Amino acid sequence: MPDLASAVFWLALGKIIVANIILSGDNAVVIAMACRNLSDQHRKPAIIGGSLGAIVLRVIFVFMITWLLSIPYLKLLGGALLLWIGVKLLNEDEGEGEGGVKASASLWGAVWTIIVADAIMSLDNAIAIAAAANNDGVLILLGLIISIPIIIFGSTLLTTILQRYPVLVVIGGALLGWIGGEVMATDGKPPNADVAPPGTIAAWLEHQIPHAEHVCAAAGAVFVVVLGMYLSRRRKPTDAVDLAEKKDD
């Protein structure tokens, strides 16, 4: 058991909470974007369920971090999946239904989107949390549990803002694309390392492209925004035809 009277314990706990709040900014964006079109009765359960799922994943990742980092091409695949999630969220149906909001997906669909995206983004977060806690399991659990209401509150606030200012959805999509491109560019590169080991994708990119991480991150952001908006605009004329046919009927 930790020494609760120790200043070292409380300092380490504070570091974990602060690190988790800072690192959870992008996770809160995912949660807000996935839930923004759900009906009022489904939005809150989706935010709570997705946030709890994200925290559980982060705990698991912290204790499996060494093994996860040894899996080749894990970040490459995860980054590509994150790009797809960004495009999907930008391309969601935003039609109005009861109460002015129509759910573009089911409650569980939104929760699943949150959990999958957080699983990808939590790898780097888990590294920072494990380092702050010096691999102390009790500290890790306490820090993450205390952070849960903060993440949920932040996601709820962001959901309201995204509904009021839809243009911010594009910025959220760009953020997911940025993270996805950055994750892909660091495949095989150890945390906090200046140079990637030879034979890794990160090393090849560093040799081919100056400032590869930033270039790939920017490319990911552009890819998600351009493809997401293209698919969204391509779908809208079809939706308009369907609505016109329903009115005629």
Side-chain angles (χ1 to χ4, degrees), residues 39-244:
S39 61
D40 292 339
Q41 63 178 351
H42 288 154
R43 189 179 306 124
K44 195 168 185 179
I47 290 175
I48 294 173
S51 300
L52 292 176
I55 291 294
V56 170
L57 276 175
R58 202 161 299 180
V59 171
I60 294 171
F61 282 4
V62 166
F63 292 106
M64 298 174 60
I65 196 66
T66 303
W67 176 74
L68 286 170
L69 290 175
S70 68
I71 301 176
Y73 308 118
L74 177 64
K75 282 192 170 185
L76 183 67
L77 294 174
L81 184 57
L82 195 56
L83 294 180
W84 175 79
I85 289 173
V87 172
K88 178 177 175 291
L89 290 176
L90 278 181
N91 191 38
E92 281 187 344
D93 181 9
E94 297 180 4
E96 292 188 356
E98 292 183 6
V101 178
K102 177 183 176 182
S104 62
S106 66
L107 167 64
W108 293 111
V111 171
W112 178 248
T113 298
I114 294 166
I115 291 175
V116 172
D118 194 84
I120 300 163
M121 295 187 293
S122 287
L123 191 58
D124 289 338
N125 296 14
I127 296 169
I129 293 169
N134 197 23
N135 290 320
D136 186 320
V138 175
L139 274 173
I140 291 169
L141 291 173
L142 281 175
L144 291 175
I145 289 170
I146 292 171
S147 304
I148 288 175
I150 300 172
I151 295 172
I152 292 174
F153 173 77
S155 303
T156 304
L157 180 62
L158 275 173
T159 303
T160 304
I161 294 173
L162 288 175
Q163 286 184 321
R164 185 169 298 179
Y165 306 103
V167 69
L168 295 179
V169 174
V170 178
I171 297 175
L175 175 61
L176 295 182
W178 181 280
I179 297 168
E182 198 172 48
V183 167
M184 296 173 74
T186 57
D187 187 88
K189 185 176 182 179
N192 303 320
D194 294 327
V195 181
T200 61
I201 291 176
W204 182 82
L205 286 172
E206 287 175 358
H207 181 70
Q208 299 293 328
I209 307 171
H211 309 291
E213 286 185 32
H214 293 99
V215 172
C216 290
V222 172
F223 173 82
V224 168
V225 171
V226 171
L227 183 58
M229 293 185 69
Y230 168 74
L231 293 175
S232 179
R233 290 177 180 178
R234 186 181 179 186
R235 188 196 66 243
K236 283 179 181 178
T238 304
D239 293 345
V241 171
D242 292 341
L243 287 172

